Amino acid sequence: MTVPDTMLQMQSTVHADGRLELGLVEVPVPRPAADEVLVRVEAAPINPSDLGVMFGTADLTAVAASEGALPGAVAPIPEKLRAPMAAREGQPIPVGNEGAGVVVAAGDAPAAQELVGRTVAMLGGAMYAQYRCVRVSDCLVLNEGTTPVEGASCFVNPLTALGMTETMRLEGHVGLVHTAAASNLGQMLNRICLADGIPLVNIVRRDSQAQLLRDQGAAHVCNAADADFRDRLTDALEATGATLAFDAIGGGELASTILSCMERAALRTSTGYNRYGSDVHKQVYVYGGLDRGPTIVRRDFGMAWGMGGWLLPPFLQRVGPEVAGRMRQRVADELGTTFRSHYSREVSLREAVSPEQIAIYAKQATGEKYLVRPQA
Amino acid sequence: MTVPDTMLQMQSTVHADGRLELGLVEVPVPRPAADEVLVRVEAAPINPSDLGVMFGTADLTAVAASEGALPGAVAPIPEKLRAPMAAREGQPIPVGNEGAGVVVAAGDAPAAQELVGRTVAMLGGAMYAQYRCVRVSDCLVLNEGTTPVEGASCFVNPLTALGMTETMRLEGHVGLVHTAAASNLGQMLNRICLADGIPLVNIVRRDSQAQLLRDQGAAHVCNAADADFRDRLTDALEATGATLAFDAIGGGELASTILSCMERAALRTSTGYNRYGSDVHKQVYVYGGLDRGPTIVRRDFGMAWGMGGWLLPPFLQRVGPEVAGRMRQRVADELGTTFRSHYSREVSLREAVSPEQIAIYAKQATGEKYLVRPQA
């Protein structure tokens, strides 16, 4: 296979003047070391975790095309939001956490040579590019017949969803609650829970999302926009015994409401009055920030509660390589079923940095998930 | 010693009409079983945890004297705050979590008989009464020469303060932050930390409180009312490495600010940019509710954070009887020094249920701590 000398790569840069730039850059195609392979990237999803690196705290209501020779976009970073971005100043960051493609060149090691022509999935950044060089040990070799598009989202969503069920077991809970539950990740979690017999309470914000999940077999779906949401949620929590929630939203009162309804459900089955509330431990992990506003915690749920951040890499460290390996293997085996992803649109690298497309995909609306096709 | 047939006991009752009543009731003096002793209660503190049972969600701006034969006070429970109190309706609850007194009668067991005439400290409710019957195993026998006033607060504050340092060790932190730090509990924690070499960051709200703690040897005191509070707190957090806070306040932004400053302190010593913030785990436990309003959590401190409720009884269960026994012994041994308490006023049972005194002690102002003297 012929490999060019240079390629296009998407980079995000914070400039000293307070602008953030997301643009294409021509860089040399890397050469694989002995234990590495060069992958022609065919497909890479835009996950919410990618958006954080791509745009940081920039004001996305003011995106404009950049004026360089190659396509790109710029957006201002509001003055008061610059501090957290200061460490990035002047350092271009290649973006794209995960992707899949075909091995087109390999180092001398036999394990590397064996992969030539195979389709592999990769995690590790810089995936919004025409080529990516990775170590053999970092490749997930896809089963014969699996396409790069099918294998593009092997890591972030699948491992996060599996991590939620593993966390549930580790921390002694018997059921789960999930917000923004109609997302790709949410649908995946629903399939895992159905397969594994884990009671799951899905929280959505629209009837169409509730219907979508019910059509996929979800037993408990609560619409936060319903007038009787709290009562329905309490019923579902009582029925499932779920005392652990994963919240993708972060801002507002939803996390607090979940804890409050968990407490109401716990008190329904307890007797007598306890001034400190039930002794049932109720936990919410905030793993996303669809609403960047403050979390409002009403503390009307006794004293046995916890809230905290949840992130995949420290979780994988916590459980160790054996559990992580088992999770990864399950993803490879069930890629066409449990862990399948759906994309609303496929875009080229050039389209991905256009202000028009950014305006759509950066909203992170449920159902608007993009797949970057670097060869398009 | 002559023991009367009846005694006065303070009880809190939620009435069906939405009034809460705190009053004195004449009840029979209990007779000790074989392994029990009867204690003439000489002193019992009014702790914040007592106020929760005494007044629940009643409106304390509208306290009036009750009209019964014995002294008492009544206060309305606002309509929307009645639900959490419903389980208490019509059930008088004797109040007062801890106290100390002299054993005046005992059951037949030798271990009980041995205690006659001794001064003991007790935990377990119903201490705002002239007499209290307890099991021998529930007594903490005070050293000879220790008075009931000195031993009245042996459990709640001392074990809570020690529990904070034990939690710090258990969860892998190297320093502590404490809010409302000039309280009796806060001064106690400061003495423990000084004795044990634990770095402690004290947060107060007035200069006089800061001075009081500095006069007691505190190295790090930050006044939340200062304009440069955040910078000073960050400096103190960097100097101490404290990543665990115990918050008595609950409502408002203080807990969030502490997490935010912990993150700033962590980033000062780290290099490079991490979009998810530092990997230093930052934890706040809310153990009180001086501000009953919602906790506002800004989540501007990365993903490695936790917040939750902290309560003494589950903590003691978590560490088990050996550690709990060691903690208890230390309290008995250092009652006159590390674990001494200060009261702003001593009141009789009759005074303790008067609207005038309630108006003062229910405010939980730092420095306004009451001691009930049931024999007065």
Side-chain angles (χ1 to χ4, degrees):
Chain A
M1 282 166 262
T2 318
V3 176
D5 291 331
T6 65
M7 65 177 194
L8 292 179
Q9 183 184 66
M10 195 189 298
Q11 296 182 350
S12 169
T13 311
V14 173
H15 293 292
D17 61 5
R19 288 174 312 129
L20 180 141
E21 181 169 11
L22 182 75
L24 302 186
V25 179
E26 193 165 355
V27 298
V29 172
R31 302 282 158 135
D35 63 340
E36 291 183 336
V37 294
L38 182 69
V39 179
R40 189 181 66 223
V41 184
E42 298 285 349
I46 302 181
N47 289 315
S49 50
D50 290 307
L51 295 172
V53 196
M54 292 163 83
F55 301 110
T57 56
D59 177 6
L60 296 184
T61 64
V63 183
S66 62
E67 295 177 357
L70 287 165
V74 289
I77 304 171
E79 191 76 40
K80 60 171 188 160
L81 297 176
R82 280 182 201 171
M85 306 289 282
R88 282 186 53 176
E89 228 173 79
Q91 302 170 41
I93 302 181
V95 286
N97 283 322
E98 65 181 337
V102 176
V103 176
V104 293
D108 291 336
Q113 286 293 328
E114 264 175 29
L115 294 188
V116 175
R118 294 295 301 266
T119 299
V120 298
M122 306 168 283
L123 177 71
M127 296 297 167
Y128 303 151
Q130 292 174 314
Y131 294 87
R132 176 73 158 88
C133 204
V134 288
R135 276 181 304 191
V136 171
S137 59
D138 288 342
C139 289
L140 180 60
V141 182
L142 298 176
N143 296 337
E144 291 288 351
T146 302
T147 67
V149 168
E150 289 165 343
S153 295
C154 267
F155 295 95
V156 178
N157 279 351
L159 294 182
T160 298
L162 279 177
M164 292 174 180
T165 64
E166 292 288 339
T167 300
M168 181 198 81
R169 288 191 196 94
L170 268 178
E171 301 187 359
H173 301 272
V174 299
L176 286 173
V177 181
H178 190 221
T179 72
S183 64
N184 258 296
L185 175 65
Q187 295 178 43
M188 212 173 267
L189 181 64
N190 182 50
R191 291 192 292 267
I192 295 169
C193 289
L194 286 172
D196 296 1
I198 296 170
L200 171 67
V201 178
N202 297 279
I203 298 178
V204 298
R205 289 184 281 194
R206 279 199 290 273
D207 282 336
S208 59
Q209 297 166 341
Q211 197 54 52
L212 180 148
L213 284 165
R214 284 203 190 91
D215 290 347
Q216 296 182 15
H220 303 280
V221 188
C222 300
N223 185 344
D226 285 345
D228 60 351
F229 170 61
R230 283 170 164 264
D231 290 336
R232 287 189 181 210
L233 178 57
T234 306
D235 290 343
L237 292 167
E238 188 186 3
T240 56
T243 47
L244 174 62
F246 283 88
D247 176 36
I249 296 167
E253 298 204 15
L254 185 54
S256 185
T257 299
I258 292 169
L259 289 172
S260 182
C261 293
M262 283 176 177
E263 177 72 358
R264 282 173 61 193
L267 292 177
R268 280 185 187 171
T269 54
S270 79
T271 53
Y273 169 76
N274 183 333
R275 69 199 139 122
Y276 292 123
S278 77
D279 56 6
V280 174
H281 184 78
K282 304 161 290 289
Q283 179 74 35
V284 176
Y285 285 117
V286 179
Y287 76 95
L290 293 176
D291 178 343
R292 288 191 194 173
T295 315
I296 312 296
V297 186
R298 298 215 171 270
R299 304 195 322 286
D300 54 356
F301 35 70
M303 292 294 279
W305 65 280
M307 198 176 272
W310 192 94
L311 204 58
L312 182 60
F315 168 77
L316 292 174
Q317 278 203 311
R318 176 182 172 193
V319 296
E322 196 182 335
V323 172
R326 172 164 57 73
M327 291 164 65
R328 222 167 111 139
Q329 187 55 49
R330 180 169 176 186
V331 175
D333 293 344
E334 303 175 20
L335 200 51
T337 54
T338 314
F339 300 104
R340 68 181 179 272
S341 291
H342 170 77
Y343 308 96
S344 59
R345 189 178 170 126
E346 300 187 358
V347 288
S348 65
L349 284 172
R350 187 174 292 264
E351 288 173 303
V353 297
S354 73
E356 297 72 31
Q357 296 302 332
I358 290 171
I360 301 171
Y361 70 73
K363 270 188 201 148
Q364 305 181 53
T366 297
E368 283 292 359
K369 176 140 195 171
Y370 274 42
L371 185 69
V372 178
R373 301 295 304 268
Q375 307 302 325
Chain B
M1 283 166 264
T2 318
V3 176
D5 292 332
T6 64
M7 65 177 194
L8 291 178
Q9 183 183 65
M10 194 190 298
Q11 296 182 349
S12 169
T13 311
V14 173
H15 293 292
D17 61 5
R19 287 175 312 131
L20 179 139
E21 182 169 11
L22 182 75
L24 301 187
V25 179
E26 191 165 357
V27 298
V29 172
R31 303 281 160 135
D35 62 340
E36 292 183 337
V37 293
L38 181 69
V39 179
R40 188 182 66 221
V41 185
E42 299 285 349
I46 302 181
N47 289 315
S49 50
D50 290 306
L51 295 172
V53 197
M54 292 163 83
F55 301 109
T57 57
D59 177 5
L60 296 185
T61 64
V63 183
S66 63
E67 295 177 356
L70 286 166
V74 290
I77 303 171
E79 192 75 40
K80 61 173 187 160
L81 297 176
R82 282 185 199 169
M85 306 290 282
R88 283 187 50 177
E89 228 173 77
Q91 301 170 41
I93 301 181
V95 286
N97 283 322
E98 65 180 338
V102 176
V103 176
V104 293
D108 290 336
Q113 284 294 329
E114 263 174 32
L115 294 187
V116 175
R118 294 294 302 265
T119 298
V120 298
M122 308 168 282
L123 178 72
M127 297 297 166
Y128 303 151
Q130 292 174 312
Y131 293 87
R132 176 72 158 87
C133 204
V134 288
R135 276 180 305 191
V136 171
S137 59
D138 287 343
C139 288
L140 180 59
V141 182
L142 299 176
N143 296 338
E144 290 289 349
T146 302
T147 67
V149 168
E150 289 165 343
S153 296
C154 266
F155 296 95
V156 178
N157 280 351
L159 294 182
T160 299
L162 279 177
M164 292 174 180
T165 64
E166 292 288 338
T167 300
M168 181 198 82
R169 290 192 195 94
L170 268 177
E171 301 187 358
H173 301 272
V174 299
L176 286 173
V177 181
H178 190 222
T179 72
S183 65
N184 259 295
L185 175 64
Q187 295 179 42
M188 211 174 267
L189 181 64
N190 183 48
R191 290 192 292 267
I192 296 169
C193 289
L194 286 172
D196 296 2
I198 296 169
L200 171 68
V201 178
N202 297 279
I203 298 178
V204 297
R205 289 185 280 194
R206 280 198 290 274
D207 282 336
S208 59
Q209 297 167 340
Q211 197 53 51
L212 182 148
L213 285 165
R214 284 202 189 93
D215 289 346
Q216 296 182 13
H220 302 280
V221 188
C222 300
N223 185 343
D226 285 345
D228 60 352
F229 169 61
R230 284 170 165 266
D231 290 336
R232 288 190 180 208
L233 178 58
T234 306
D235 291 343
L237 292 166
E238 188 187 1
T240 56
T243 48
L244 174 63
F246 283 88
D247 176 36
I249 296 167
E253 299 204 14
L254 185 55
S256 185
T257 300
I258 292 169
L259 290 171
S260 181
C261 293
M262 283 177 177
E263 177 71 358
R264 282 172 63 194
L267 292 177
R268 280 185 187 171
T269 55
S270 79
T271 53
Y273 169 77
N274 183 332
R275 69 200 138 122
Y276 293 123
S278 77
D279 56 5
V280 174
H281 184 77
K282 303 160 290 288
Q283 179 75 34
V284 176
Y285 285 118
V286 179
Y287 76 96
L290 293 176
D291 179 343
R292 289 191 193 174
T295 315
I296 312 296
V297 186
R298 298 216 173 269
R299 304 195 320 288
D300 54 356
F301 35 70
M303 292 295 278
W305 65 280
M307 198 176 274
W310 192 95
L311 204 57
L312 182 60
F315 168 77
L316 292 175
Q317 278 204 311
R318 176 182 172 194
V319 296
E322 196 181 336
V323 173
R326 173 164 56 75
M327 291 164 65
R328 224 168 109 141
Q329 187 56 49
R330 179 169 177 187
V331 175
D333 292 344
E334 303 175 20
L335 200 50
T337 54
T338 314
F339 300 105
R340 68 179 181 273
S341 291
H342 170 78
Y343 308 97
S344 60
R345 190 179 169 123
E346 300 188 357
V347 288
S348 66
L349 284 172
R350 188 175 290 266
E351 287 172 303
V353 298
S354 73
E356 297 72 30
Q357 295 303 331
I358 290 171
I360 301 171
Y361 70 73
K363 270 188 200 148
Q364 305 181 54
T366 297
E368 283 292 358
K369 177 140 193 171
Y370 275 42
L371 184 69
V372 178
R373 301 295 304 268
Q375 307 302 324

